[in-house]
Amino acid sequence: MVESLYIHIPFCNRICTYCDFNKVLIKNQPVDDYLDALIREIEMIGEDRMKTIFVGGGTPTALTEAQLARLLEVVTAKFTVTDEFTFEANPDELTPGKLDVLKSYGVNRISLGVQTFNEDLLKVLGRSHGYDDIFNAINHMEKIGLDNYSLDLMYNLPGETMEDIEDSLRHIERLKPKHISWYSLIIEPHTVFYNQIRKGRMQVDDDSAEGEKYFHIIEALAERGYPQYEISNFSTPQYESAHNKTYWLNAPYYGTGAGSHGYVGGTRYYNIKPVNHYIQSMKETGSVVKETLPLDEKAQMEEEMFLGLRMNRGVEIARFDRKFSRPMGDVYGSMLEQEIGKGHLQERDGFISLTEKGRLVGNTVFMEFLL
Ligand code: SF4
């Protein structure tokens, strides 16, 4: 049974300097045609109940109130959402009017793209929002009782200091979000940042400075009531992201929209990326052009381990045994013993997880699972 759905809105009002997501500037885009195609794709899904829905992008809040309402009308008529219904949002676009629309359709979680509280760094990132926008959005969210939000932050930004990290921590103490995602900036090819670094016009931290910030963040957030539960995610009790855990538990999910991907029946699929091609394929064939990648059992087991070890609690042994009708010990026995011996992995309360030492060499440990 598939219990999670991702919906992709590939439009942004401004393109950030570091971004390599599947997105386009919204100006002059056929947004309503895109919604037509997206709605058709959503309506083709067999299920009528979802545990989690995540609407991401791009920026879903780049849509107008009327467009948001149109999409949500279809989604909520089709699915009963039993657990978590998240919308990604940029602070400057999360107007009271749009928030009211989201709330009225049962959206119960906001993933707020704050990135940093430093106004200068926000400019370097090319973000459309400023410092005040963050508080305007949060104030209204709290006013209407939509106070379950994740503060999405980045570190390892060009020119960022430890004081910037401390400043974010002070804001966290004051705002008390339920959840925090704090990712290291990755310099991706085909971005403005990539070109600037290649030309020597910009620098980011070396690995050791980045590591120092990372471990400081983990420790400081734990002290403030946000224990780490995944490599880049931290939460107060009961507010871990149910949708993202679908991915880390290697559970099935649908992906809808241009460039989205899904995992159903042991097959990963990747929807065609360009917005116009996505619309065209739906118009001409009544379905979306996609690449599919069926995973054999070996690949499914590898992914189960890779993804599960991202979480601090790790991979549940009994769940693995049930899922693959084979004991984990039969599949990975000697390797597990070896990595436990090296102090990289540990078996605790029925879970295999990375130790602190293992986290430092995570990729080396992951490689061991390639049978
Ligand atoms: S708003 Fe998000 S998706 Fe859009 S360009 Fe910026 S980082 Fe990328």
Side-chain angles (χ1 to χ4, degrees), residues 49 52-53 168 170 187 290 302 350:
R49 181 190 157 278
T52 70
I53 295 183
S168 292
R170 281 193 292 275
I187 305 295
K290 57 187 81 192
E302 284 167 8

Side-chain angles (χ1 to χ4, degrees), residues 70 79 104 228 238 270 276 310 328 332:
R70 181 178 169 219
F79 304 109
S104 70
Q228 182 189 35
Q238 317 296 330
Y270 307 87
N276 282 328
R310 292 182 63 93
M328 187 192 283
Y332 293 116

Side-chain angles (χ1 to χ4, degrees), residues 12 14-16 18-19 21 23 57-59 90 127:
C12 296
R14 183 158 157 184
I15 301 300
C16 304
Y18 58 91
C19 179
F21 298 145
K23 48 48 181 97
T59 348
N90 277 352
R127 299 291 299 182

